[in-house]
């Protein structure tokens, strides 16, 4: 399993690292603004990859049949004080790539003066970044997040999502899911289950919905104080040692197929068939 003690460091390091070219705001954004917008459209191949790295706010991804990615980002102040407008101005939305790969990042380096863990209560809260993105349905998607609200719908390719304390709703996925979270809540529905998937959490909750006739191999380990609830008939086991209960469920569903792995500590899995 992931060492969740290191998750906050990894998440913030991924969010705050520099090195991408900045996208120009749709309107001039300078001092004296508590909100700004950035828009950009880049070519993205049907089987390319879109990567998003962000900290807090929201990510909404929908799909279309065009070979391009359309990115709209709104930066908003989190509360208002004497420096909130300058923090919005100093938050950069970095977008680069095209063709086989597009990368999007929320960059707070100018606020933090390039010191990764330098912010304190004197610096005030970092702004929200709210993304609205459209991308090819068959392109892969990877999201690295700290505590955003994420929505993805209609993706017919692989999804990788890491979030620390964020929430996620993924609807109609037709591809592999690789999702891990710390204290997050994830609702994941598959339109078809055809590729091996992995889910992992610490103190988080997963609700996973699959077509009732899906064929897969379930390997679910609830870990200490974990819970597993499944509509699909598989062998389950519950053990208790010194007051720390654990639950697991393993077996072939409808004759077996790609693996569905779940691993947690103090987390829960609800597996539903529709």
């Amino acid at each position: 399993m992931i060492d969740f003690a290191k998750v906050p460091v990894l998440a913030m390091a991924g969010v705050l690292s520099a090195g991408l070219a900045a996208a120009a705001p749709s309107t001039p954004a300078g001092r004296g603004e508590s909100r700004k917008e950035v828009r950009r459209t880049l070519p993205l191949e049907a089987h390319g990859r879109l990567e998003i790295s962000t900290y807090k706010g929201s990510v909404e991804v929908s799909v279309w049949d065009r070979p391009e990615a359309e990115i709209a980002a709104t930066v908003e102040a989190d509360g208002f004080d004497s420096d909130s407008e300058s923090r919005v101005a100093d938050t950069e939305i970095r977008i680069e790539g095209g063709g086989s790969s597009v990368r999007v990042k929320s960059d707070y380096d100018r606020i933090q003066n390039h010191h990764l863990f330098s912010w304190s209560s004197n610096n005030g809260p970092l702004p929200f970044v709210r993304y609205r993105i459209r991308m090819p349905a068959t392109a892969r998607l990877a999201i690295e997040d700290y505590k955003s609200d994420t929505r993805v719908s209609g993706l017919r390719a692989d999804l990788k999502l890491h979030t620390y304390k964020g929430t996620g709703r993924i609807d109609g996925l037709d591809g592999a899911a690789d999702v891990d979270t710390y204290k997050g809540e994830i609702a994941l529905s598959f339109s078809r289950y055809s590729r091996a998937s992995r889910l992992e959490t610490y103190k988080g909750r997963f609700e996973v919905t699959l077509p009732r006739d899906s064929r897969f191999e379930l390997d679910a380990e609830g870990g200490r104080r974990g819970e597993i609830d499944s509509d699909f008939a598989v062998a389950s086991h519950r053990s208790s040692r010194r007051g720390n209960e654990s639950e697991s469920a393993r077996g072939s569903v409808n004759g077996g197929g790609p693996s569905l792995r779940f691993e947690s500590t103090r987390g829960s899995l609800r597996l539903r068939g529709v």
Side-chain angles (χ1 to χ4, degrees), residues 230-274:
S230 175
D231 286 351
F232 298 93
V234 292
S236 61
H237 176 74
R238 177 179 291 273
S239 63
S240 179
R241 183 178 181 183
R242 294 182 180 179
N244 290 325
E245 292 189 343
S246 65
E247 188 170 6
S248 62
R250 293 180 176 85
S252 299
V253 175
N254 295 325
S259 65
L260 174 56
R261 298 186 62 188
F262 172 75
E263 191 171 0
S264 84
T265 299
R266 302 186 183 182
S268 66
L269 170 66
R270 292 168 55 98
L271 197 59
R272 297 289 176 250
V274 295

Side-chain angles (χ1 to χ4, degrees), residues 42-53 68-69 71 96-104 133 135-144 155 157-162 176 178:
L42 292 176
L44 179 61
E45 297 169 1
H47 297 286
R49 176 182 172 91
L50 175 65
E51 300 177 10
I52 304 167
S53 181
E68 57 189 19
I71 299 101
E96 75 162 19
S100 63
S101 178
V102 171
R103 294 171 296 281
V104 181
I133 295 174
M135 62 178 287
T138 53
R140 291 165 294 159
L141 175 61
I143 301 173
E144 182 82 9
L155 189 68
D158 295 350
L159 169 69
K160 184 173 184 178
L161 169 62
H162 167 81
D178 184 355

Side-chain angles (χ1 to χ4, degrees), residues 26 63 92 108 119-121 135 187-188 212 221 225 248 274:
S26 58
V63 300
E92 297 180 281
Y108 297 100
W119 63 79
S120 66
S121 59
M135 62 178 287
L188 167 61
R212 192 169 291 277
E221 181 61 58
R225 299 183 184 176
S248 62
V274 295

